[in-house]
Amino acid sequence: MNPRDRFGDDPAAQPLRSDAERNRARIVAAARTVFRRDGLNASMASVAREAGVGIATLFRRFPAKEELVAAVFSDRMDAYVDAVGVALDDPDPWHGLAGFIETVCAMQAADYGFADVLTMTFPTAEALEERRNQAYEGVVKLIGRAKATGRLREDFTPEDLVLVHMANAGVVNATGDAAPDAWKRVVALMLQSFEAPARGALPDPPEPRALYQAMLRANQAYCPPSGRQEEG
């Protein structure tokens, strides 16, 4: 292919395109650092500073914070789905479920941003939400298998796993560097409460739609519809 066919007669076209791609990569890398350290509550302005670009440049690449979140955490969501696959391949479904919960909670503890991502939903980030739904379908299978072994209490539901993510994110964000391993004890306590035989009945779980609304509300708190509100 003749390069002129792709870029036309403008000799500046190719460098500009390369510069734009470098800026995008720089912004995503900076956002990964900022979100991992500060969670999704971090401002777009702080990402721009970390990237060494102007806020206008950031908004040209990512007009909404949700778009940046989707770009930053696509690989983390892939790892989340992979963790479900590993759990399903475990010949002991209870061990697989417990291992999955421990793995994902460790991912949350290592990355404050990802801790937040698992407690939210991102309607416009279709690829990210597709991966979340894929993981959910696998988890439903895993829960059914673990119940069939008699190790998982019968009243455990997929909604309980969402609550685990929310609870762990709260512990991770609250303890931070002061007690970085506190989440491990909380997860161990939760896992022991999930085992059969149950020691008592549980209140009804939240309706799936109610949890979705809670996750959507969290998104709106951290990722306002107009990211440019943060420019000031």
Side-chain angles (χ1 to χ4, degrees):
M1 176 185 291
N2 188 331
R4 186 182 297 272
D5 295 337
R6 182 176 179 187
F7 297 107
D9 295 326
D10 183 359
Q14 185 170 1
L16 284 174
R17 186 167 298 182
S18 298
D19 287 347
E21 184 56 36
R22 281 195 295 271
N23 280 340
R24 185 185 189 282
R26 185 184 306 166
I27 290 167
V28 170
R32 184 172 287 116
T33 297
V34 172
F35 291 153
R36 180 186 298 118
R37 181 186 66 221
D38 302 330
L40 296 192
N41 196 42
S43 69
M44 294 286 269
S46 66
V47 172
R49 286 193 296 271
E50 180 74 22
V53 302
I55 192 72
T57 297
L58 188 152
F59 280 119
R60 277 199 300 273
R61 302 291 168 259
F62 299 97
K65 190 175 184 180
E66 187 168 299
E67 295 178 24
L68 180 58
V69 169
V72 168
F73 291 103
S74 61
D75 61 336
R76 294 288 80 199
M77 288 304 291
D78 287 344
Y80 181 61
V81 174
D82 290 344
V84 177
V86 170
L88 287 170
D89 287 340
D90 194 311
D92 180 341
W94 165 254
H95 183 267
L97 177 63
F100 169 74
I101 292 173
E102 290 169 344
T103 295
V104 174
C105 288
M107 291 168 64
Q108 288 184 294
D111 188 325
Y112 288 0
F114 190 65
D116 292 333
V117 165
L118 289 186
T119 69
M120 303 178 194
T121 188
F122 302 88
T124 65
E126 294 181 2
L128 189 150
E129 290 304 310
E130 181 180 352
R131 297 297 272 165
R132 190 199 304 276
N133 291 336
Q134 183 179 350
Y136 178 83
E137 292 173 2
V139 166
V140 170
K141 293 179 183 177
L142 185 60
I143 289 172
R145 293 178 185 178
K147 286 182 180 180
T149 68
R151 294 288 305 280
L152 177 64
R153 57 186 301 156
E154 279 296 324
D155 53 359
F156 186 90
T157 72
E159 289 71 43
D160 290 320
L161 198 55
V162 179
L163 296 178
V164 168
H165 295 333
M166 290 179 170
N168 191 56
V171 171
V172 166
N173 286 315
T175 56
D177 293 337
D181 292 331
W183 68 272
K184 295 180 181 179
R185 183 174 178 88
V186 174
V187 170
L189 289 168
M190 287 192 289
L191 286 174
Q192 290 182 31
S193 74
F194 299 158
E195 282 194 84
R199 290 165 177 77
L202 293 173
D204 291 337
E207 292 291 334
R209 181 171 181 80
L211 275 182
Y212 176 81
Q213 289 299 322
M215 295 171 73
L216 186 61
R217 185 168 60 245
N219 172 312
Q220 293 167 345
Y222 286 97
C223 304
S226 176
R228 291 184 179 274
Q229 293 172 358
E230 301 184 18
E231 285 188 76

